[in-house]
Amino acid sequence: MQDDAASRDGADAAAQQGAGAQRDRATEREAAARREAAAERDAAEEASAFSHPAVEPDVTMAYGDHPDQVIDFYAPREPDPAVLTPLVVVLHGGAWRAPYDRRHITPFADFLTRRGFAVANVEYRRGEAPAPAPEGPAIPAQGGPAAPGPNGAASSEGAAGADGRGDDGAREGSDAGDASAAGAGSAGSTGSTGGPVAGRWPDTFDDVAAALDALPALVRAALPQADPRRMVVTGHSAGGHLALWVAARHLLPADAPWHTDRPAALRGVVALAPIADFEVAEELDVCGGASRQLLGGEATFAERLPYADPVRLLPTGIATTLVQGRSDIVVPQAVAESYADAAAKAGEVVGLTLLEDVGHFPLIDPAADACAVVAEEIAQLAW
């Protein structure tokens, strides 16, 4: 009898084990199906965002000698001649990588002009080929000069798209070799597979700081109908990081060359799916380790965080709103939430607008409802 009972117990255990394995397999299949559906949706959203023709600026002005040190200015389409127009400064994404230049975000800039804003679309130096290992102090230089590449040069990876998924065909409405043709939003793993690394240290930060410092004078010359005293900075993905960083320069360490004595004269910041917390971004492998590459790699990542990571530069005292798609698989919601939580702990209220059934790219897609939400968030700060 004991043998029969033991046999039955063994059979029951085996059956339970088998049922558990079946449940595990079913769960894995469901998770794989969800991931596949999310990737397909993201690809469709990206294709829509990059289906719009690039829009030429009204004026382009240089803020430095390098070909990438330029700002494209767009006048409001139906300005009120009796009222100066708020200025929106746009900082594009692309994981700070060279193939992804400002061209891909020009339809978004044009969208804002049709909402009554003047727009300054800022270019800056991005990453090129891997540089020699940095030596010496964190500020101001990374070892070895980086040779400048052509503005908007296509990636040597060719078929690799901005987020590492593939190009999905050439993006419409851009010149051959433009970043738009390579796909742009938030580049993925190309830097870790032999493609361009993310950003240049310190050049990327040098440029964004210089551009913002030069803007008031350039605006007066290029767009006299714009009011630089009513300026809102917005940026998408890696550009969202730069937008948050611009607003925090007065909190940088005193030895940072970009440190300012007082907060920037901004009405506010609207950061779109920003890479706002570098450590969380690295944990999630956002854009193939782009944050680590931007800061020079493993050897200098930790020591440069205080100079570059927005989550460490709080509270800014500048009105800030984050707009984030809940379905974003490129820069997940957890990154924005971490920044908002850190701001709250620092005594600052940061707005966090979470959009249901929205991924990474609709935020800059003029055809998407999410883009209208972004324009409204900007308007609330600008007027």
Side-chain angles (χ1 to χ4, degrees):
M1 297 291 291
Q2 289 179 344
D3 289 343
D4 290 344
S7 178
R8 285 195 300 272
D9 289 344
D12 290 345
Q16 290 174 357
Q17 218 171 24
Q22 285 182 333
R23 285 194 298 272
D24 289 344
R25 286 193 293 272
T27 300
E28 289 173 4
R29 286 194 297 271
E30 291 171 1
R34 286 195 297 270
R35 288 193 296 270
E36 183 177 356
E40 289 176 354
R41 176 174 183 159
D42 184 57
E45 290 176 337
E46 182 186 14
S48 176
F50 296 113
S51 67
H52 308 287
V55 180
E56 296 300 324
D58 296 302
V59 183
T60 298
M61 300 191 75
Y63 63 89
D65 295 331
H66 191 277
D68 284 337
Q69 293 173 327
V70 294
I71 303 174
D72 290 340
F73 290 95
Y74 295 80
R77 294 301 175 236
E78 295 182 3
D80 181 346
V83 179
L84 289 176
T85 305
L87 177 70
V88 180
V89 181
V90 174
L91 295 163
H92 70 81
W96 311 283
R97 290 186 172 122
Y100 317 113
D101 70 5
R102 70 193 184 281
R103 295 276 294 179
H104 76 268
I105 209 166
T106 61
F108 173 71
D110 179 66
F111 176 82
L112 293 177
T113 67
R114 289 183 275 114
R115 292 298 184 109
F117 299 109
V119 175
N121 187 17
V122 177
E123 191 56 276
Y124 51 89
R125 283 173 286 181
R126 284 106 44 223
E128 294 288 349
E135 297 177 358
I139 296 293
Q142 177 168 302
N151 185 28
S155 169
S156 60
E157 301 301 308
D163 53 10
R165 284 193 305 272
D167 189 53
D168 295 326
R171 309 298 178 197
E172 297 175 6
S174 63
D175 297 333
D178 280 339
S180 306
S186 285
S189 60
T190 54
S192 60
T193 58
V197 295
R200 299 193 209 175
W201 182 273
D203 303 25
T204 299
F205 297 93
D206 287 346
D207 287 359
V208 173
L212 269 292
D213 290 345
L215 255 177
L218 294 179
V219 169
R220 285 192 289 271
L223 293 179
Q225 67 270 53
D227 186 355
R229 297 169 300 177
R230 288 191 291 166
M231 184 162 58
V232 174
V233 177
T234 190
H236 179 238
S237 196
H241 155 263
L242 294 172
L244 295 171
W245 180 84
V246 160
R249 288 172 59 195
H250 59 293
L251 300 176
L252 289 169
D255 64 339
W258 319 293
H259 175 85
T260 58
D261 293 333
R262 58 181 64 86
L266 303 175
R267 283 293 183 93
V269 173
V270 179
L272 314 177
I275 305 178
D277 184 326
F278 279 8
E279 290 186 302
V280 172
E282 287 301 303
E283 289 171 8
L284 297 174
D285 194 31
V286 167
C287 300
S291 302
R292 194 171 299 273
Q293 292 174 20
L294 175 68
L295 301 194
E298 184 69 35
T300 52
F301 180 72
E303 66 181 299
R304 288 177 176 170
L305 284 173
Y307 298 88
D309 192 358
V311 79
R312 293 169 178 258
L313 302 170
L314 289 164
T316 67
I318 293 173
T320 300
T321 297
L322 313 182
V323 184
Q324 175 75 42
R326 286 189 180 273
S327 300
D328 193 334
I329 62 171
V330 179
V331 183
Q333 178 180 330
V335 181
E337 288 180 330
S338 179
Y339 180 89
D341 289 346
K345 290 175 183 175
E348 187 162 75
V349 177
V350 166
L352 177 57
T353 300
L354 298 174
L355 303 181
E356 296 290 342
D357 299 322
V358 170
H360 193 64
F361 297 99
L363 302 177
I364 58 167
D365 181 359
D369 292 341
C371 199
V373 174
V374 169
E376 181 58 32
E377 294 288 358
I378 292 171
Q380 288 182 19
L381 295 177
W383 291 102

